[in-house]
Amino acid sequence: PPGSASFAWLLAFALIVAGVIWLSRRPRTRVLGAAAALALVSPLFTSPLLAPRNELADRYWFIGSVAAALVVGWGASQAWARRAPLAIAALIAGCSFASYKASSVWASEVDLWTFVVQTSPHSPRAWSALSRVHRLAGQGELAVRAVERSLALRPDSSAALTSRLFNHLWFGRLDAARAELGALESHEGVRDAALRLARRCLTLADAQAVQACVQQATPRGMVLGDVERLRAVSERMLSEP
C-alpha cells in the first residue's frame, strides 16, 4: 500500500540521518559524517523539489562530488597513518583513470550524444537530442530521421516535437513550422520559451530571416565535435531496427 511505502522511505531516511549524526559525533569518523551529510543534501539542488532552471544548458555543478573527495581523502589519510604509500598511489591512479574515462564523453556534443544513443538506443530523449546535434551540424536529413526515430519510440514526447519544430525553423521549412507550432500550442510539457522564440521568428518576412533568427537565438552548448563521425554513427544506428 502507498502508506506503508511512504513509511518505509521515511524510516530509511531517519536511519540515514541517524547514521550521519553518529559518524559526525566521533572524532575519527567526523570527516565521513561530513561526506555523508553532503551526499544526502546535494541531490536537492538538482531535484524537481527545488525546480532547477538553466536556459543555456542542462548541466549542473554536482556538489556531491565533494562528498566523494572527502571519503577518498579520509581513506588516504588512514592509509598514510599506517605507512602505506603504495596503497595511496594505487587509489589515486585508479580514481584518476575512472574519472577520466567517465568524463571523456563530455568532450563535445558529438561525443556525448552518440555515446548516449549507442548505449540507450530505445531512449526518445537521446534521439531528440541527437537530432539537435545534427541540426547544429547542418545535417538536415539526419536531423529529420533522428527526431522521427524519437517520435516512433514515444509519439507524445514534448522534447521530440519541439526538436521537430526547430528543425523546420532551422532549415527554412516555414509552412511545416507554422503547422507544427499550431499543434504544439495546446500540447502539455512544451516550454513557453521555445514557443515564444518560434512565434517571434515566424513573424519575419522570409525563410532566410527566420533561419537567422532561430540560429542566433539557439545556445550552442559545448564544442560541436567531429561532424563526420556524427554522420557515420547516426547512419549506422538508424539503419538498425
Side-chain angles (χ1 to χ4, degrees), residues 65-78:
S65 60
V66 179
L70 284 171
V71 172
V72 172
W74 180 84
S77 67
Q78 295 297 309

Side-chain angles (χ1 to χ4, degrees), residues 113-127 153 237:
W113 292 110
T114 53
F115 172 81
V116 174
V117 165
Q118 289 178 94
T119 54
S120 303
H122 300 296
S123 167
R125 172 75 175 90
W127 283 106
L153 293 167
M237 294 294 294

Side-chain angles (χ1 to χ4, degrees), residues 59 99-115 220-226 229:
R59 325 216 197 290
S99 177
Y100 172 78
K101 188 174 179 181
S103 62
S104 61
V105 297
W106 293 89
S108 69
E109 297 275 5
V110 170
D111 289 338
L112 175 62
W113 292 110
T114 53
F115 172 81
R220 298 304 172 116
M222 296 186 295
V223 172
L224 181 58
D226 186 348
R229 178 171 171 272

Side-chain angles (χ1 to χ4, degrees), residues 209-230:
V210 171
Q211 287 177 279
C213 172
V214 73
Q215 290 175 14
Q216 290 170 7
T218 300
R220 298 304 172 116
M222 296 186 295
V223 172
L224 181 58
D226 186 348
V227 296
E228 290 308 314
R229 178 171 171 272
L230 170 67

Side-chain angles (χ1 to χ4, degrees), residues 16 20 32-44 63-68 70-71:
I16 292 171
V20 170
L32 288 180
L38 271 173
L40 192 65
V41 172
S42 60
L44 292 174
I63 64 172
S65 60
V66 179
L70 284 171
V71 172

Side-chain angles (χ1 to χ4, degrees), residues 28-204:
R28 293 188 63 182
T29 58
R30 196 160 288 160
V31 173
L32 288 180
L38 271 173
L40 192 65
V41 172
S42 60
L44 292 174
F45 294 93
T46 56
S47 76
L49 293 174
L50 298 182
R53 295 182 180 274
N54 187 335
E55 297 296 330
L56 297 180
D58 51 350
R59 325 216 197 290
Y60 304 100
W61 177 50
F62 287 97
I63 64 172
S65 60
V66 179
L70 284 171
V71 172
V72 172
W74 180 84
S77 67
Q78 295 297 309
W80 186 264
R82 290 168 173 78
R83 298 181 180 179
L86 289 178
I88 296 174
L91 180 67
I92 292 173
C95 290
S96 298
F97 177 75
S99 177
Y100 172 78
K101 188 174 179 181
S103 62
S104 61
V105 297
W106 293 89
S108 69
E109 297 275 5
V110 170
D111 289 338
L112 175 62
W113 292 110
T114 53
F115 172 81
V116 174
V117 165
Q118 289 178 94
T119 54
S120 303
H122 300 296
S123 167
R125 172 75 175 90
W127 283 106
S128 64
L130 191 70
S131 177
R132 180 186 66 84
V133 181
H134 282 298
R135 186 193 316 148
L136 294 175
Q139 298 170 346
E141 180 186 354
L142 286 171
V144 170
R145 292 173 63 191
V147 81
E148 292 304 324
R149 174 64 65 92
S150 178
L151 289 168
L153 293 167
R154 185 181 298 168
D156 63 342
S157 169
S158 298
L161 293 170
T162 303
S163 188
R164 186 165 66 178
L165 166 62
F166 278 88
N167 284 344
H168 293 322
L169 293 168
W170 193 276
F171 296 108
R173 300 187 291 266
L174 302 193
D175 291 339
R178 291 189 182 97
E180 192 78 49
L181 177 60
L184 284 177
E185 294 283 3
S186 59
H187 194 281
E188 294 184 4
V190 179
R191 291 167 53 188
D192 290 338
L195 296 178
R196 286 196 300 271
L197 174 59
R199 290 190 206 104
R200 177 166 62 83
C201 290
L202 282 171
T203 60
L204 299 175

